[in-house]
Every structure is written in structure tokens, then in C-alpha cells.
Amino acid sequence: MALDPSDPASLELSAAEMRAMCEAATARVLAHLANVERQPASGDVDVEALCRAMREPAPEQGRALEPLLDAFFDEWMPRSLTTNGPGYLAYVPGGGVFPAAIADFVADTTNRFTGARFAAPALVQLEANALDWLRAWMQLPAGARGIFTTGGSAATFNAVVCARERHLGAEIRRGVVYTSSQAHHSVFKSARLAGIAADRVRAIDVDESFRMRLDALESAIERDRRDGLSPFLVVSTAGTTNTGAVDPLDEIADLSAREGLWHHVDGAYGAFFHACEELRPLLRGLPRADSITLDPHKGLFLPYGTGALLVRDGAALRRAHDATAAYMPEPSPDDLYDPSRDGPDLSRGFPGFRVWLTIQTFGAARLRAAIAEKRALAIHAANALAASPHVVIDAPPQLSLFAFHVTWPGATQREEDAATRALIDRVAERGRVLLSGCTTGDRFLARVCVLSFRTRRAHVDACIEDVTAEAAHLAQL
Ligand SMILES: *Cc1c(COP(=O)(O)O)cnc(C)c1O
């Protein structure tokens, strides 16, 4: 950058300089994306020495952009999981659709204040529209409200606060939260952050399909009531991280209604499957939830940084967050969305715009087709692997995730666990796909989650080939 030396306090760049910066970044981004198919599914992330060597004080003088970008693309980024690549089948994949990046660029350079409606009402309305589209896909009523968050964890935290505010007040210490033993750890973390101590969170047992057991839930509630405690919240999961299990949402909604509990559904992985009408039966009861966590940066293929919370009783969301001050203008009319009244942030980025621009440019139909395709691909992979004599599918795909282990005649469970761990490593070494594992109950399982928009039939076929071959190899050792 050629900043003017005679004006040392200026941070303003010329149009030519900005264009050059854009071109430098664009060239590298496009080269990276053109090559993303051929990147190994995981770079070498065992680089503690490199990280220590990277420590440095802030530079006193500005440096040129291009060498910094080169270091990002050539040295640092490759030492990571290739989370935007087609072979990323580990954990719950994210996305990285391009229109969202353009939205961020436009939002960041125009830097309008969208934390409160008054400062950019029409822009805030774009975010309101995006939230309303999500609400409609989840079939929540028109009175529901929502917020965009930094992720699913933050959304669940806000949901716990809403439930706590409605049900507990000063009686916080008596409040009890119920979730399943398969729940995401963000549920336990959210409860703690919301002031609900660990001894007031129950991890309910699951059935053989890894779904929350209703009888166990019911008796835990009964026991807590007998002990003078105040059950107030059930957090069920629409697609667990371990095995993709969908809790019996409809039955839990019944029970919650009967018991007067708030029912939150953690749909960080699975909720967007409800956007596809033909898949709604898989998530039966979801629209009855009091609140839903969604993760546009998973199921809507956005880049990391955007979760969402929808709350059926919009007034409850607002009650939990609304606050004012003398320096703030008059609140908006109630029918108009005003972000800081419904969420914890005031100043923030403009998450609604990246969601809005993504949906506008692709259209809902194309996004739904992509979501449905991921499920079809997972079913294809699970069926193909089930045909291998060395693979046992422990959890068939309920949505687009399945879990399995390696087996052979006479194998003990310990040997199977070790072989399954080895399989994940050996498949990763082949460089085409990356799986991850989990321990559920007492068994170690490998898991495949198809959710990256770049994962298509050819990549899933590569996964089938590599897993089949490595399972056969491990079974013969
Ligand atoms: C990813 C995930 C979360 C956490 O969401 P973040 O966006 O990573 O904070 C919570 N629950 C489930 C089921 C998830 O898959």
C-alpha cells in the first residue's frame, strides 16, 4: 500500500489502491477455489512449532498486502482441515457459498449500522425478511420472532435464557433442564452460561436409535418434581452430532405441553432439512417447538459465522432481551424487526445480509435441491457400505449422517474399536475424504456427514471406495 507519507494519520486509500487490493485477493481466492477439489482432505495440523514461531509483535509500519495474502494461502491455510472441500465429511460440515462472501464485502465496506432499526431501516428489513423465510420453512406461526447469532451455540444459549426468563425468575436454582445423553455439548455450556448449574441438567438416556427415551424423560421430570425442583426446559435434538439421530420431537412436544415446559429443538445440524417439504416427516413435530436453533453456516451452506434462533412466542424473545437507554431513539412499532431488542448484541456485523443475498441469488428451490441431495448421497453411501462384510452400520442415516464400525468374524469389540479408529486415519491418508469418529455408549464409531455443498456423487463414491478398501485391509490384519 502506498499510503501518503505526508499525512501519517490518514487511513484512507485511493480508488486505485482499493482496486488493486481487491484484485490481489480475488486472484488468490479464485485460484484457491479452482483447486479445492485437489486439495488433500486434511492438511498437516500438527504444527505447534510453526504456531510458536509465528508469534510476533504488531508491526510498527504497514506491510504490503500481497506477501501477507501469500502467507495465508500458501503457508497457514493449507495447515488446516479442508473444511470447504468436497471430501469434508467429518463432524458437521459447513459451507462457504460465494454470494455470502460478496454480501460480507459489501456490508463491511458500506459499514451501515444494523444493530438498531432506526439507523438503517430498509437494510434491517432485509434481515427481517431472511428471518421470516427461515420461520416459514420451519412452519412456525407468524408471531414468531428470531435473531441471527454467531452460531448454533449462541442461539441455544439465547433460547435457554428465554425459557429461564419465562419460567424461573428468582427461582433459578430450582430450575431443571432436560436433554439427551447425545446432545451437543453446547447445550450443557448454554445452561451453565445462563446460570443453570450442572447439577440441574439431566442427560436423559437414549434408545437403540440414539433418540431421547420418553419414558426416561418422563420419570426424570417426575423425580425432580417430587424433590421440590422446577423442571422448565427440554432441549431435544433434530440431528445429533454423533449419529444424526432425531429425537421424537412430536412426542416431546406433547409431553412438554402436558408438563408446562419450554421445548427447544437444537436443529443446528438438522433443521434445514425441514425446508424440503418431502423431508418434513423426518422432523415431525418440529413446528411445535417453542424455539429452534438453526445454523445457516451448516445446513444453508453459508460460510462460518451465522446461526439463528427462532422463538414461537416472539414476545418471550423480546422480554428476555429488550432494554433501553436515554441515548437510544424511540422503539420501533412492534411489527417491525429491531435487532437489538430481540437479541443480546447492539453493534455487530450484518448477518442477515449474507443470508438474504444467498437466498436471493440461488433461490429457495436450488437450496432445497442441494439439501435434499445431501441426504440422498448419505443414503447411497450407507447402502453401499452396508454391503461390505467388514462394515456394520450402527446408525443408518435419519438425515444425512450415519455411523458405522469395522468388523470381521471373531473380532472383539476392543479390536473393532481400534480398527475403526485406524480406518478413519487410513482413509484420511488417502487424501480424498475426511471422516470423524465418536464414542457412543461404549463403542467407537466412524461417522460420515454429507452436508458440504461441494460434496457430490463422485466424492461420495470416493468415500465408499476408500472405506471399503481400508475396512477390508484392517479386517485381514
Ligand atoms: C454444530 C452444532 C452445534 C453448535 O453450533 P455452532 O454453530 O458450532 O456453535 C450445536 N448442536 C448441534 C447438533 C450441532 O451440530
Side-chain angles (χ1 to χ4, degrees), residues 12-267:
E12 204 59 84
L13 302 173
S14 71
E17 283 168 333
M18 289 189 278
R19 185 175 300 280
M21 290 176 94
C22 287
E23 279 165 9
T26 308
R28 285 165 179 80
V29 164
L30 295 182
H32 162 71
L33 293 179
N35 199 40
V36 73
E37 287 266 336
R38 285 174 295 280
Q39 304 252 317
S42 171
D44 179 9
V45 290
D46 192 9
V47 289
E48 286 172 19
L50 170 71
C51 296
R52 295 200 176 92
M54 285 169 67
R55 293 171 179 157
E56 62 170 348
E60 228 4 70
Q61 302 303 325
R63 294 169 173 167
L65 174 68
E66 301 221 8
L68 299 172
L69 291 179
D70 286 339
F72 179 94
F73 280 96
D74 301 339
E75 290 174 41
W76 305 324
M77 189 183 64
R79 292 175 172 80
S80 60
L81 310 184
T82 309
T83 39
N84 69 339
Y88 192 68
L89 306 171
Y91 308 100
V92 175
V97 287
F98 199 73
I102 296 298
D104 286 358
F105 177 71
V106 170
D108 291 355
T109 47
T110 56
N111 200 33
R112 286 305 186 262
F113 187 83
T114 59
R117 203 189 75 89
F118 78 93
L123 297 184
V124 167
Q125 185 58 41
L126 301 181
E127 180 161 303
N129 286 4
L131 281 166
D132 200 53
W133 298 339
L134 269 46
R135 179 201 62 74
W137 295 345
M138 299 304 119
Q139 294 186 303
L140 288 184
R145 285 182 192 280
I147 47 164
F148 287 114
T149 62
T150 47
S153 303
T156 298
F157 166 64
N158 281 290
V160 175
V161 171
C162 290
R164 186 200 71 193
E165 287 291 295
R166 174 190 282 173
H167 289 278
L168 297 183
E171 294 299 306
I172 185 165
R173 192 51 202 138
R174 292 231 295 266
V176 187
V177 177
Y178 304 83
T179 194
S180 91
S181 63
Q182 298 295 304
H184 192 270
H185 67 284
S186 60
V187 176
F188 301 91
K189 188 165 155 179
S190 293
R192 172 151 46 94
L193 291 174
I196 312 297
D199 66 341
R200 296 290 188 262
V201 183
R202 311 281 179 252
I204 303 297
D205 281 347
V206 293
D207 65 16
E208 63 289 345
S209 303
F210 306 101
R211 294 188 285 219
M212 197 191 306
R213 271 180 44 199
L214 271 171
D215 58 333
L217 172 60
E218 217 160 359
S219 49
I221 294 169
E222 206 181 290
R223 198 173 327 116
D224 285 327
R225 286 210 199 280
R226 251 197 334 263
D227 291 346
L229 299 177
S230 308
F232 77 103
L233 168 65
V234 184
V235 180
S236 58
T237 308
T240 61
T241 314
N242 280 342
T243 65
V246 178
D247 285 333
L249 307 177
D250 211 30
E251 290 76 2
I252 295 173
D254 287 337
L255 178 66
S256 301
R258 222 163 44 234
E259 294 281 344
L261 311 180
W262 183 291
H263 180 207
H264 177 73
V265 176
D266 177 2

Side-chain angles (χ1 to χ4, degrees), residues 394-442:
D394 300 272
Q398 294 186 29
L399 298 169
S400 71
L401 192 173
F402 63 93
F404 65 94
H405 70 269
V406 177
T407 192
W408 60 91
T412 66
Q413 188 181 315
R414 263 174 65 105
E415 290 167 335
E416 289 176 340
D417 282 357
T420 304
R421 282 180 201 277
L423 176 122
I424 293 172
D425 292 340
R426 296 182 62 99
V427 165
E429 275 161 30
R430 289 175 168 239
R432 300 202 291 180
V433 299
L434 187 72
L435 316 185
S436 61
C438 67
T439 301
T440 53
D442 57 352

Side-chain angles (χ1 to χ4, degrees), residues 288-325:
R288 296 177 62 199
D290 289 297
S291 52
I292 304 173
T293 288
L294 300 93
D295 244 348
H297 64 204
K298 289 176 178 168
L300 205 57
F301 314 115
L302 260 68
Y304 291 121
T306 304
L309 170 67
L310 297 174
V311 178
R312 162 180 301 278
D313 172 12
L317 180 65
R318 183 152 288 184
R319 262 199 312 279
H321 293 99
D322 207 5
T324 191

